[in-house]
Amino acid sequence: MITPTKQQQQQQQTKKVAASEEHGLSPHLIKAQADADYRNQSPFFAWAFVIFCTASFYIGPLLLLSPFLLVHFHPQAAGLLFCTNLFLAFHPVSPWPRFRQWCQSFYTIFNFHHNMTPLLDEIARKENRLSIIAMHPHAIIPLHGFLWGAICDQLLPHMYGYGGTTEFAMRLPVLRHILQYLSVGSANKERILMEMQTNGQNLFILPGGVAEIFLSHRRQQQSDNNTTLLPNTQTIKARRYGLMKLALETGAIIYPAFVFGATDLLDQLTPVEKRSRDDNDHSRKTTTMLDFLGNMMQFMSRKIKGGLTVFYGRYYLPIPYTPQLSMVLGNPIHPVVEIEDKDNAASSSTAMKDNVRGEKKRTCRRVENPTTEQVEELTERYVDALQCLFEQYKEEAGFPNDSLQII
């Protein structure tokens, strides 16, 4: 029996349609158009806003550390700053829709494209289904999360919901304010279940987490004077059994999502290389000091459940580069196969059940205690959908020679 090569498998997956018009997803990329108030705004304001959002991932940790650095030289200033940080870290912050609108400033800077049409929101409104939007890659800094907030506010109001992030990020001054303006909060399971089942909120999450932060690196060009990009293998951490178990337990459908260009926004000092499982080259590369630091920072990040990395952009400052960002969603995946395969079952009353409190959202049949086989089966369908989604849009997104490695 002849085993198909990796290239043949990718060609077969290319033939599969991962995003179809019947689900409100365009087969071609659509250039995002900001509302009139933001389309004609000053480029200075747009760049200032983008840089502020990027720098907030530095501002928060620096504010948190500054009292301990100042206490020996200026005890009173250190005490005042400590109290200020304490207030900023714990006082309640409410979502601010206006902030999501400001994120339309990102459209022009990053030449933002997507595959979502108004029909997608119409389907979400009519069917009112509990959904999980799982987006890859996480990237070094997930600036594409701001774009998701903007496009939802503008085009997909019924798709928006609760965003999950680390508890560590939710205690960093300034950064937590920005995140909570976008309706982002802790990603611990108890909070997520409350938001989904009690409050009827859709979940937006970057499942790759810390692992994808350290797997991210900007792709290389052929030469300093040539803007042609070399073929690149994008590695993502998508086999997240906890997320699949959550979908089975809540009955939420999963929208796989991918953002082309997200890892090209910034560089980091300590990326970590991940080898493919089927890589037959067992030669070992020399371990450098940066490799050691990268592994150590990744280890520390997992311990505190938050990303610790040194990132930079243009001029070695938190000024991102400007690749074209293309955000694509795939067809929804139903956690239980029997429901997915029935004609029109997703919208029928027999296949859908009231959520915990009835009036909030409709769900697929929930599985209280998913078996390992059920979780693994859903994971494989999710991974296959991501691979197909990547192959369907990579050429139009400008990365025809790239490949996707899923671990």
Side-chain angles (χ1 to χ4, degrees), residues 92-325:
V93 181
S94 300
W96 188 15
R98 182 71 171 179
F99 188 86
R100 298 201 298 268
Q101 296 172 9
W102 287 351
C103 292
Q104 294 180 34
S105 304
F106 285 50
Y107 287 4
T108 302
I109 290 175
F110 300 115
N111 191 21
F112 180 49
H113 287 68
H114 60 85
N115 72 334
M116 295 159 273
T117 71
L119 178 60
L120 176 61
D121 188 66
E122 183 65 16
I123 292 172
R125 184 188 67 81
K126 287 183 177 179
E127 298 188 355
N128 194 31
R129 298 180 298 183
L130 191 65
S131 305
I132 297 174
I133 296 88
M135 188 171 289
H136 297 271
H138 184 287
I140 301 169
I141 297 298
L143 294 180
H144 43 296
F146 294 87
L147 284 167
W148 173 250
I151 199 68
C152 281
D153 186 84
Q154 184 186 33
L155 187 66
L156 310 169
H158 294 92
M159 291 286 290
Y160 203 65
Y162 177 79
T165 189
T166 64
E167 188 66 35
F168 178 73
M170 297 310 299
R171 291 292 171 257
L172 294 176
V174 180
L175 178 60
R176 70 180 291 264
H177 291 73
I178 291 175
L179 295 176
Q180 290 190 309
Y181 290 157
L182 295 169
S183 304
V184 175
S186 173
N188 69 69
K189 190 171 182 179
E190 292 76 15
R191 177 66 186 276
I192 287 177
L193 286 175
M194 184 190 76
E195 293 293 341
M196 294 180 70
Q197 295 185 322
T198 305
N199 299 334
Q201 296 285 328
N202 293 333
L203 174 66
F204 169 76
I205 196 164
L206 300 164
V210 169
E212 282 187 1
I213 292 176
F214 289 93
L215 291 171
S216 299
H217 58 86
R218 286 185 71 228
R219 66 193 69 231
Q220 297 179 344
Q221 298 177 356
Q222 288 185 351
S223 66
D224 293 339
N225 298 322
N226 190 344
T227 58
T228 303
L229 298 173
L230 292 172
N232 182 59
T233 298
Q234 176 74 63
T235 304
I236 62 173
K237 183 78 172 178
R239 298 183 184 276
R240 292 301 197 186
Y241 297 110
L243 182 65
M244 301 302 112
K245 187 177 180 181
L246 176 69
L248 286 161
E249 290 174 341
T250 60
I253 58 174
I254 305 173
Y255 283 92
F258 193 89
V259 182
F260 292 92
T263 56
D264 295 329
L265 290 166
L266 296 160
D267 281 307
Q268 65 177 322
L269 187 63
T270 55
V272 175
E273 183 179 357
K274 191 73 176 181
R275 297 176 65 83
S276 173
R277 292 179 177 179
D278 57 356
D279 193 344
N280 294 322
D281 182 11
H282 299 289
S283 59
R284 295 183 179 180
K285 295 184 178 180
T286 304
T287 301
T288 65
M289 180 58 70
L290 286 181
D291 294 330
F292 173 76
L293 288 174
N295 288 317
M296 186 176 69
M297 293 183 74
Q298 186 179 38
F299 173 79
M300 293 173 60
S301 296
R302 286 174 175 167
K303 288 297 181 183
I304 66 170
K305 297 182 179 179
L308 291 176
T309 187
V310 179
F311 68 88
Y312 55 92
R314 294 169 182 257
Y315 317 113
Y316 296 96
L317 297 172
I319 303 175
Y321 296 97
T322 55
Q324 175 179 310
L325 294 183

